[in-house]
Amino acid sequence: MVVAASVVVAAGAVTGLRSAFDDRPPVKEATSTERTLSPRPDPPPSPSPRSAARSGSASPSPSSSTSTGPPPERRPSATATPRPTDREQRGAPAAGRLYRHPDSHVLDWVRANPDDPRRDVIRQRIADQPASVWFADFTPATITSRVAAVTSGAAAEGRVPVLVPYAIPDRDCGGHSQGGAPGLAAYDAWIDRFAAGLGSGEVIVILEPDAVAQADCLSAADRAARFASLARAGRVLKKANPEARVYHDAGHSGWRPAAEQAGLLRQAGAASAASSDGVFSNVSNFHRTADEIAYDRRVLDALGGPADLGAVIDTSRNGNGAPADGQWCDPAGRRLGRAPTLSTGEERIDAYLWVKLPGESDGCKGAPGTFTPSYAYDLAR
């Protein structure tokens, strides 16, 4: 992948801990109602159009996509949201329903460095927050058991895990995170096995970061085949576990125009209740939360589909917004974003998540996908 995603596997606790901060208070609209991700009746099915980091139980995965050359052109939205200057105050507790997977590089570092003066800041503001678990290596024989280990661990605690399947063929257009399944038939079979580990409890699935937004390197026929496979994946995941929430790749607010991205998402099944609960944006990127909220709402409006389709936003590193110079590889001056939560208070925004684990390098401050304590501390302090 390029800027929109990277390999992270992370953990975090959720109750009574200091949260990270963002660039400003949440944007409130006069018509918005608090949106809390909680069980809801299954919508009626509709036809579907549509290095080295840990994943699952400490399996290898490719290096961060953001470590390769310049990203594809990302056109800024013509209707970018104005940027208030107030910061969101630190100290608000994260929502307690998200799962902290107990196996991650940041937790390893915290446990191994009890006397490091940076430890408490990194522990409280990064390691003690919930974050996604990535499954980025193509290992069909073990994928079911590895997914089940995460979902069963979350179910035992009554929490919601966030899983990231990342094995689409031609991943990252041959960039630093290239890899994935050898072909779409193999990928479809891998997804079947992935789905078999989802269990029956609530789970959030961030389906293949960059697979939709970064599909220009494919021929028209290959792109159509990929989108059909993604639509199938959504159906398989939701059929295997009706409590699974599946979100599709919307890129981010600085990439494609919302209507253009919605057209691609529609081909990938994102408008169908049978394969989608909505979209995700800003994975491993730095765009401000308010900009992503506005962009995601425009994408959802253009997408169509059921009215309850929502969006989730990666807020892990967007506390200061994106660098003005366009730097994307471990840029200086960034800060943690809003704490992960399933209660955003924003209409059509289902969650703020840490999909990219803060402190895992894009490839400039450390080896791609590895935890770099100096980078983590700079983000957290």
Side-chain angles (χ1 to χ4, degrees):
M1 279 179 304
V2 194
V3 176
S6 81
V7 175
V8 241
V9 175
V14 274
T15 308
L17 294 169
R18 180 173 301 184
S19 81
F21 64 91
D22 192 75
D23 46 297
R24 61 204 162 278
V27 176
K28 293 289 184 182
E29 297 185 356
T31 57
S32 71
T33 55
E34 180 169 350
R35 186 163 177 102
T36 301
L37 196 64
S38 57
R40 65 186 180 215
D42 292 333
S46 60
S48 171
R50 175 170 177 145
S51 247
R54 293 187 186 168
S55 46
S57 52
S59 61
S61 54
S63 62
S64 166
S65 64
T66 55
S67 57
T68 62
E73 178 185 359
R74 313 240 166 145
R75 296 183 292 257
S77 169
T79 56
T81 305
R83 297 178 177 176
T85 56
D86 335 356
R87 284 191 190 278
E88 181 178 347
Q89 186 177 12
R90 296 192 191 202
R97 294 181 60 234
L98 285 165
Y99 178 57
R100 185 190 77 162
H101 186 52
D103 185 15
S104 72
H105 287 313
V106 62
L107 282 173
D108 286 348
W109 183 86
V110 166
R111 292 162 184 152
N113 293 275
D115 299 322
D116 192 297
R118 302 167 296 184
R119 180 182 183 273
D120 286 348
V121 169
I122 291 173
R123 177 183 60 79
Q124 291 176 4
R125 296 181 185 166
I126 296 178
D128 285 348
Q129 296 291 340
S132 302
V133 182
W134 288 64
F135 299 84
D137 55 320
F138 182 70
T139 52
T142 61
I143 188 64
T144 301
S145 61
R146 288 165 41 227
V147 172
V150 177
T151 57
S152 62
E157 296 183 14
R159 300 184 188 272
V160 181
V162 180
L163 309 181
V164 186
Y166 184 50
I168 199 77
D170 298 311
R171 185 176 66 199
D172 196 26
C173 291
H176 218 126
S177 290
Q178 63 183 292
L184 287 176
Y187 177 74
D188 291 347
W190 184 84
I191 281 289
D192 291 345
R193 295 183 179 214
F194 186 103
L198 289 178
S200 58
E202 285 187 87
V203 56
I204 295 171
V205 180
I206 304 299
L207 181 60
E208 297 294 340
D210 282 359
V212 177
Q214 191 193 11
D216 288 344
C217 62
L218 303 176
S219 68
D222 288 345
R223 188 162 55 247
R226 171 184 283 191
F227 290 167
S229 187
L230 290 169
R232 177 193 181 274
R235 293 193 300 272
V236 167
L237 295 165
K238 290 182 67 62
K239 184 175 180 180
N241 178 359
E243 293 297 318
R245 310 270 178 141
V246 179
Y247 295 90
H248 293 254
D249 170 35
H252 58 68
S253 60
W255 200 333
R256 296 177 183 273
E260 179 182 333
Q261 187 64 24
L264 300 176
L265 283 161
R266 200 174 300 112
Q267 296 175 56
S272 169
S275 59
S276 172
D277 291 274
V279 303
F280 63 84
S281 73
N282 208 42
V283 168
S284 192
N285 219 291
F286 306 92
H287 293 273
R288 295 175 185 267
T289 303
D291 293 343
E292 293 304 302
I293 290 171
Y295 169 74
D296 288 342
R297 286 174 178 161
R298 293 196 301 273
V299 170
L300 291 169
D301 287 345
L303 181 63
D308 62 351
L309 293 182
V312 299
I313 298 168
D314 186 353
T315 59
S316 60
R317 303 188 299 178
N318 71 347
N320 274 356
D325 62 1
Q327 175 60 249
W328 50 268
C329 184
D330 301 333
R334 300 313 96 199
R335 293 292 181 267
L336 300 177
R338 302 188 184 192
T341 180
L342 300 177
S343 298
T344 68
E346 292 288 346
E347 185 179 15
R348 303 203 81 177
I349 306 301
D350 290 348
Y352 302 139
L353 303 175
W354 284 10
V355 183
K356 166 76 172 181
L357 179 63
E360 290 199 352
S361 177
D362 298 329
C364 292
K365 293 185 182 295
T370 60
F371 181 74
T372 307
S374 60
Y375 182 34
Y377 185 70
D378 286 346
L379 289 166
R381 63 181 175 168

